[in-house]
Every structure is written in C-alpha cells, then in structure tokens.
Amino acid sequence: MSETAPEDFDEAATATARARLYGLLAATFDGEAETTAAAIDEGAFAAVAEAFPIDIETAPLRGDEYDADALKIGYDNLFVVPGSHYVPPFASAHAVDPSEEFESDSRYHTAGDAGELLGDPAADMAELYAAGGFSPERGDDIPDHVAACFEFMRALCEREAALRDGDGTESDLDAVRGLQARTLSRLGWIDRFEEAVASRDTAEGVFAAIARLARTFTAWDAREVVDADEQPSENTTA
C-alpha cells in the first residue's frame, strides 16, 4: 500500500482513528490484558491498522487463541519483573547518553551511565504534558513510560478530532498539532524498544507484533500526518 495519506481523506475521522490506535497501544503497554485480548479477538488492532495507507503486519494480531491470563503473564515477564526477558518500558532506559542531572539510589544504576530511571527523557515528557494540560493516568507515574506517551497522543488526537468537528480555530489546531509533533519527535527510542521486545518475546510473539505495529505506525504518523521533525530526544536514537 502507498505510505502517503490520500488527498481527500477526512481529517476528523483520521484523527479519531489515530486516537483509537494510540489508545489500544496505551492500554496494552499499561498491562490491560483483558483489553488486549479482546482487541485481538475482535480484530481491532488489525482493523484500525488497516484504516491507514501503510503496510503493517497484522496477522499475529488476529484470532481468539490468546486469553487475558496468558497475556498478563507475558506482560509481567517482559515489562514488570526484572529478569532475562525484561524490557524496560520507558525511554530513559533506552537512552544513548547519561542524563545531565540525575541522582539514583538504585543498585542497578551506576552514576554516569545511560539507562537510568527518570532521566532527561522523563523530564522532557513531563514538560510536554504540562504544556498540554495533561496528567497521564497510565505508566506507573513514569512520564516517559511508553503507555503514558501513547495515552498523551490519544488525548491529543481526540482533541484534534473535536476541534475539526467543531470548527476549531487554526490557532487551536496548530497548537494541538504542534504538541503531537513534539511528542512524536521524542519517540525515536521506540525503535530500540521494539528490537528488544522482538528479541525477548520469542514464545507467542504477541507483544513483539504490537511493538512492531507501534514502531511502524508512529514513524508513519510523524512523517506523513503530523510532519514532525525527524529528530528524537537528544538522549535517544531514531
């Protein structure tokens, strides 16, 4: 499929569809196993992904063979419990450089190394939330948690859809789109996150497939819809 948006697409409907997908991604990476299982069973991931002119592999995200209990165990093993399969679900852990100002009593962190909890990427996201008047409910109070980032994008897309349906001013739309662009420009770390999930989710591969969808979709959204600068946070990779 072409990776460009059609010239006559409905902008409000597109914003609503984007919000729905970001909402599903936020729920999944926040550990809502029942929501994830239901979305797979109903084909929601596939249906929403296929609403966009982009080639996203959705075959692993169809069917009724995944139950919530199994997905919850898989989620905990990947994103909650430190171990051989653990992948930190927040940007600071995937940073390339140490944060400029950081203090930690964690026995897993060495001062001067990258990969801390609540580093500069967390501060960057907290600033964006404040600018948007948004308080994330997902992500365990970690501002750069992937679930919180996607929850913010869901809220911004919903705000855009409401403005377009209600004849919002150009100034209001520019402000919302600007926040979307700034947020997406800080999600370059999703590439590294997806690669780590793919290497460790080797049993059923559900979360690997969803992470791949997230990586592909956010890159397309930044490039074709929002026109975000292709510059990730200075502490992350694109």
Side-chain angles (χ1 to χ4, degrees), residues 21-95:
L21 183 50
Y22 279 123
L24 283 174
L25 293 172
T28 293
F29 290 114
D30 201 39
E32 285 193 8
E34 292 186 358
T35 298
T36 305
I40 295 173
D41 184 32
E42 297 166 1
F45 279 111
V48 176
E50 289 169 1
F52 300 99
I54 180 173
D55 185 14
I56 299 177
E57 175 57 54
T58 58
L61 302 177
R62 302 173 185 268
D64 57 2
E65 66 268 30
Y66 305 111
D67 65 80
D69 290 338
L71 288 174
K72 179 60 177 173
I73 293 172
Y75 177 88
D76 287 348
N77 286 338
L78 282 167
F79 307 118
V80 178
V81 182
S84 60
H85 294 284
Y86 179 63
V87 179
F90 47 89
S92 295
H94 301 271

Side-chain angles (χ1 to χ4, degrees), residues 6 8-22 47-48 51-53 154 157-166 173 177 217 220-221 225:
D8 58 348
F9 74 101
D10 184 321
E11 292 179 322
T14 298
T16 297
R18 291 168 61 223
R20 187 182 178 204
L21 183 50
Y22 279 123
V48 176
F52 300 99
R154 175 197 58 76
C157 290
E158 287 180 346
R159 192 179 304 175
E160 178 187 346
L163 287 170
R164 293 190 183 282
D165 279 336
L173 281 170
R177 297 281 282 201
F217 178 73
W220 173 83
D221 200 26
V225 179

Side-chain angles (χ1 to χ4, degrees), residues 124 128 180-189 222-223 227-238:
D124 289 344
L128 285 175
Q180 291 177 15
R182 290 169 63 191
T183 301
L184 287 168
S185 74
R186 286 163 173 77
L187 295 185
W189 68 278
R223 183 179 65 251
D227 193 24
D229 291 336
E230 294 186 7
Q231 296 293 327
S233 172
E234 62 181 354
N235 283 358
T236 59
T237 59

Side-chain angles (χ1 to χ4, degrees), residues 202-215:
T202 55
E204 295 181 337
V206 175
F207 292 104
I210 296 174
R212 192 174 309 114
L213 184 157
R215 175 181 182 173

Side-chain angles (χ1 to χ4, degrees), residues 137-148:
E137 296 180 359
R138 301 189 181 280
D140 297 324
D141 294 322
I142 301 173
D144 56 341
H145 194 291
V146 64

